[in-house]
Amino acid sequence: DQQVKQNSPSLSVQEGRISILNCDYTNSMFDYFLWYKKYPAEGPTFLISISSIKDKNEDGRFTVFLNKSAKHLSLHIVPSQPGDSAVYFCAALASGGSYIPTFGRGTSLIVHP
Amino acid sequence: NAGVTQTPKFRVLKTGQSMTLLCAQDMNHEYMYWYRQDPGMGLRLIHYSVGEGTTAKGEVPDGYNVSRLKKQNFLLGLESAAPSQTSVYFCASRSLADTQYFGPGTRLTVL
């Protein structure tokens, strides 16, 4: 049973437009959420995170929104660039225990020039 | 500062063979992790370590063993490889107040 779900395996967006990647979770103990970006033949790299005490966190072109009541978070990339083409993983963890993130299956983003 | 490195990058094994994957980090991190990634799947935790000399099981530990004899190294062993262990293996490390840093991965094929 997936505790972290990324229901869109892929997303295609035009350069300059907004990319919205979605993530849902089922475990109410999760209170810290992360997004990782992964290029082919490389390891994932940390992109942005958000704690459950916030509903928004912004870092440059990347913003993560958290809706705790819906157990839903989303990553917005504005404007999208071809270099953003990668697989994006959502991860969640309960901060009070061991640092063991649970990862979603990833969404492959393709940004067309 | 190399970060997290993994050896080897690629390997092909025959069913029943054994091998060890090496993960090394030069950031003095306490925590280290081994994950596997399969097509259409997320990262699944195999084993992890919260410090030198300690290891613990993750979500999918069967068929694997690990050792953390030195703080900077985390070894993943396959005693008798099976085709189901064909995967890309990622190692990660972190300090107490930071996120995980991942290695570049090891692509393993078991025939």
Side-chain angles (χ1 to χ4, degrees):
Chain A
D1 183 33
Q2 289 184 76
Q3 297 188 64
V4 177
K5 300 178 184 179
Q6 294 178 256
N7 291 320
S8 298
S10 63
L11 176 67
S12 183
V13 170
Q14 204 70 29
E15 181 179 5
R17 299 288 189 106
I18 184 171
S19 295
I20 300 176
L21 294 88
N22 294 305
C23 179
D24 298 292
Y25 62 96
T26 58
N27 189 337
S28 57
M29 298 298 292
F30 290 151
D31 59 0
Y32 192 70
F33 306 89
L34 310 97
W35 285 94
Y36 280 83
K37 177 179 181 179
K38 184 185 178 303
Y39 291 118
E42 295 184 10
T45 56
F46 169 73
L47 187 60
I48 192 168
S49 63
I50 188 167
S51 165
S52 61
I53 63 173
K54 294 185 174 183
D55 54 18
K56 176 183 174 181
N57 189 26
E58 193 172 352
D59 183 1
R61 296 186 297 114
F62 302 90
T63 303
V64 56
F65 295 91
L66 176 62
N67 182 333
K68 290 186 289 293
S69 61
K71 293 189 174 69
H72 176 84
L73 61 155
S74 60
L75 175 68
H76 292 212
I77 307 174
V78 183
S80 301
Q81 299 173 354
D84 296 328
S85 298
V87 176
Y88 290 78
F89 290 101
C90 170
L93 62 91
S95 58
S98 298
Y99 193 101
I100 308 290
T102 298
F103 286 84
R105 295 186 175 186
T107 296
S108 177
L109 172 66
I110 299 173
V111 180
H112 297 282
Chain B
N1 192 340
V4 180
T5 57
Q6 293 183 231
T7 308
K9 289 185 169 52
F10 304 94
R11 186 71 187 268
V12 178
L13 288 178
K14 294 181 180 178
T15 297
Q17 287 184 319
S18 64
M19 79 163 294
T20 299
L21 282 67
L22 170 63
C23 175
Q25 53 94 3
D26 60 2
M27 297 174 283
N28 201 34
H29 285 171
E30 289 293 332
Y31 300 82
M32 296 188 75
Y33 309 77
W34 275 108
Y35 291 91
R36 61 178 288 174
Q37 187 197 5
D38 301 295
M41 302 291 286
L43 294 159
R44 292 186 293 169
L45 183 65
I46 305 171
H47 286 279
Y48 66 100
S49 169
V50 300
E52 181 179 327
T54 74
T55 63
K57 293 181 180 179
E59 179 187 354
V60 289
D62 294 342
Y64 305 96
N65 57 75
V66 287
S67 64
R68 183 100 182 267
L69 298 180
K70 293 183 179 180
K71 185 177 184 179
Q72 63 268 33
N73 296 337
F74 196 27
L75 279 65
L76 178 70
L78 286 74
E79 289 186 350
S80 180
S84 60
Q85 294 178 303
T86 293
S87 188
V88 181
Y89 292 86
F90 290 102
C91 175
S93 71
R94 65 175 284 263
S95 62
L96 185 60
D98 204 353
T99 59
Q100 291 171 310
Y101 291 82
F102 284 85
T106 294
R107 185 174 294 275
L108 175 66
T109 302
V110 182
L111 302 175

